[in-house]
Amino acid sequence: MSQAAAGANAQPDTAREPDAPFRIRAARVIVTSPGRNFVTLKIETEQGIHGVGDATLNGRELAVAAYLNDHVIPVLIGRDARRIEDIWQYLYRGAYWRRGPVTMRAIAAVDVALWDLKAKALGAPLYDLLGGKSRNGVMVYGHANGADTAETLDAVGRYLDAGYKAVRAQSGVPGVKMAYGVGRGDLYYEPADASLPTETLWDTRAYMNFAPKLFEALRVRFGEGPRLLHDVHHRLTPIEAAQLGKRLEPYDLFWMEDATPAENQEAFRLIRQHTTTPLAVGEVFNTIWDAKDLIQNQLIDYIRTSVVGVGGITHLRRIADFAALWSVRTGSHGATDLSPVTMGAALHFDTWVPNFGIQEYMRHTPETDAVFPHAYTFADGLLHPGDAPGHGVDIDEALAAKYPYEPRQLPVARLTDGTMWNW
Ligand code: KDG
Ligand code: MG
């Protein structure tokens, strides 16, 4: 941008005078829908090295694409790709309008692409730039679900047979139309299923009576060995969440997730006072500020913020370091709406982060895997990031172009009397 275009009083921007090889030459947004929508940012330097970042926000994909195209890419061109921290601060502070899912996903895409790029330039896997390996593999949990208890038990059995050490169990609930987390197929659960939101019905009482019986049946069938997880998906009030946590205690859950909405972080104090069931929260958080009180008051056990949700590795690292002070461990969100690019970056992060807990892993479809060739592999319940330089995930642009964007939105939920509720 010329001085004239930037404004008469503008000062020269020193971050735009880099050594030529690391100058950002181009950045572009790629929207593709190989079974579901993904937004990807590709950044290239003069030297010809590129990095890739994920910017997918489920059901709101084009809002982030526009934010990147209109507000981020124009200020990226010409910057020094090595200055990851400075670019992060520029995009965060410089927007004036801080935080929010759209802004932070756009920042994440830039941040992850730059970490990828720098690691590639150095010929190192990304985990080495973060501080090196802290473990041999990343324990993941898979998603088992079924229309009823019998189907859910069978699904959990299939995950355990496949070698998973941890499984999330969700089931259809008698009296609840389309309970959260129950797929229409065998292994893939895609809630964003229609161009206008599907209306689901929620019955708290039916769910509260059902959920403990599901986990009792799981323990009877599979014994005390497997780690079992469950997602309440924001459906309960704090006192209901406290009650459920108490009722689930005999079944030794690894965690109870999103038991109540967390806009009011203080609400978790009530849950905590009543139950020792471990609590996990954070997949909808954007920054450390959403989690600060939860962490420093030890109101949760696992923080679910993801690379793509909180502005990339640069900020997720701060959250994890802060959480470590209070023995809160990481358990990053990893549903299929987080692209293989996020999964690759997450696995490098998880391989390094000292206070690692677990990583969510929902397998992508073969179509998605083909669009995003990746170095990560699954074996014996663990994911391995691979040793390729960068985060090890790329995008096949020619293949991506064959899958045009399809509008899809997340469902909404109403109580049985018609009142809007939390999906
Ligand atoms: O886009 C929304 C999904 O990512 C979310 O519903 C999945 O709750 C979820 C989970 O724990 O994976
Ligand atoms: Mg969840």
Side-chain angles (χ1 to χ4, degrees):
M1 200 185 296
S2 69
Q3 283 288 28
N9 296 324
Q11 298 297 312
D13 185 342
T14 49
R16 285 181 177 280
E17 309 268 344
D19 297 345
F22 291 97
R23 188 175 178 278
I24 296 175
R25 177 179 66 191
R28 64 182 171 283
V29 176
I30 302 148
V31 179
T32 181
S33 190
R36 66 158 1 279
N37 293 313
F38 294 110
V39 179
T40 307
L41 179 70
K42 186 166 176 177
I43 299 180
E44 290 168 9
T45 61
E46 293 292 353
Q47 205 178 25
I49 299 180
H50 74 266
V52 178
D54 175 27
T56 308
L57 179 58
N58 205 4
R60 298 288 185 274
E61 295 86 2
L62 298 187
V64 192
Y67 191 100
L68 283 166
N69 280 320
D70 296 346
H71 308 293
V72 174
I73 290 177
V75 301
L76 273 186
I77 305 301
R79 277 175 203 281
D80 184 339
R82 293 169 299 188
R83 297 179 62 166
I84 300 175
E85 184 69 49
D86 183 64
I87 290 175
W88 196 96
Q89 298 294 338
Y90 187 95
L91 295 174
Y92 182 79
R93 294 171 194 272
Y96 184 68
W97 310 108
R98 294 184 186 192
R99 308 164 66 191
V102 174
T103 299
M104 297 312 290
R105 267 167 154 90
I107 296 177
V110 174
D111 187 77
V112 169
L114 293 179
W115 278 104
D116 185 33
L117 205 156
K118 181 177 278 200
K120 280 182 185 162
L122 295 170
L126 179 47
Y127 61 73
D128 266 343
L129 269 63
L130 297 173
K133 281 190 179 184
S134 299
R135 54 194 54 80
N136 301 325
V138 172
M139 182 171 70
V140 296
Y141 69 91
H143 277 215
N145 62 78
D148 54 25
T149 302
E151 271 191 20
T152 305
L153 262 61
D154 288 348
V156 169
R158 283 196 294 278
Y159 274 92
L160 296 176
D161 290 346
Y164 282 77
K165 299 176 192 304
V167 185
R168 179 185 107 154
Q170 307 291 140
S171 172
V173 178
V176 172
K177 180 186 156 202
M178 297 178 76
Y180 165 76
V182 181
R184 299 346 148 229
D186 187 16
L187 292 172
Y188 305 106
Y189 171 58
E190 289 294 353
D193 58 358
S195 58
L196 290 176
T198 302
E199 288 219 357
T200 66
L201 278 187
W202 179 251
D203 183 333
T204 301
R205 200 167 167 76
Y207 168 75
M208 293 278 285
N209 287 329
F210 174 81
K213 292 187 193 122
L214 171 69
F215 282 89
E216 181 184 19
L218 282 162
R219 284 298 176 211
V220 168
R221 169 114 158 234
F222 299 108
E224 61 191 19
R227 296 166 183 83
L228 297 175
L229 297 79
H230 184 63
D231 191 349
V232 183
H233 220 258
H234 322 274
R235 301 295 164 91
L236 302 179
T237 63
I239 194 64
E240 289 163 352
Q243 286 174 334
L244 182 64
K246 267 179 107 157
R247 291 187 203 171
L248 289 173
E249 272 171 29
Y251 314 114
D252 183 28
L253 264 63
F254 186 90
W255 78 34
M256 175 169 80
E257 177 188 340
D258 284 339
T260 198
E263 288 103 324
N264 176 14
Q265 298 179 45
E266 192 61 27
F268 277 72
R269 194 178 292 283
L270 192 144
I271 308 173
R272 199 62 153 177
Q273 280 164 349
H274 292 286
T275 180
T276 56
T277 292
L279 303 174
V281 169
E283 68 183 38
V284 302
F285 291 175
N286 308 139
T287 69
I288 200 166
W289 300 103
D290 296 321
K292 177 176 149 288
D293 299 343
L294 288 169
I295 292 172
Q296 69 185 4
N297 294 316
Q298 290 184 296
L299 301 181
I300 56 171
D301 302 280
Y302 296 93
I303 180 70
R304 296 225 341 110
T305 41
S306 66
V307 167
V308 67
V310 297
I313 286 173
T314 296
H315 194 68
L316 186 60
R317 190 164 62 161
R318 290 208 168 107
I319 295 176
D321 280 343
F322 181 70
L325 299 181
W326 285 279
S327 301
V328 174
R329 293 192 283 158
T330 64
S332 287
H333 186 209
T336 38
D337 45 296
L338 287 70
S339 92
V341 174
T342 286
M343 186 52 65
L347 293 173
H348 282 263
F349 180 84
D350 295 337
T351 296
W352 157 73
V353 70
N355 48 326
F356 172 72
I358 201 165
Q359 169 69 49
E360 182 178 18
Y361 175 48
M362 279 176 81
R363 282 172 284 187
H364 290 106
T365 60
E367 291 77 19
T368 297
D369 283 339
V371 168
F372 296 96
H374 51 265
Y376 58 80
T377 50
F378 175 86
D380 299 328
L382 307 179
L383 273 173
H384 303 273
D387 297 323
H391 57 48
V393 187
D394 213 334
I395 181 162
D396 179 336
E397 290 191 65
L399 194 54
K402 294 190 177 153
Y403 298 103
Y405 172 75
E406 292 173 16
R408 298 260 185 90
Q409 299 209 44
L410 288 168
V412 294
R414 289 187 187 275
L415 300 179
T416 46
D417 71 355
T419 308
M420 273 299 290
W421 197 240
N422 318 313
W423 177 74

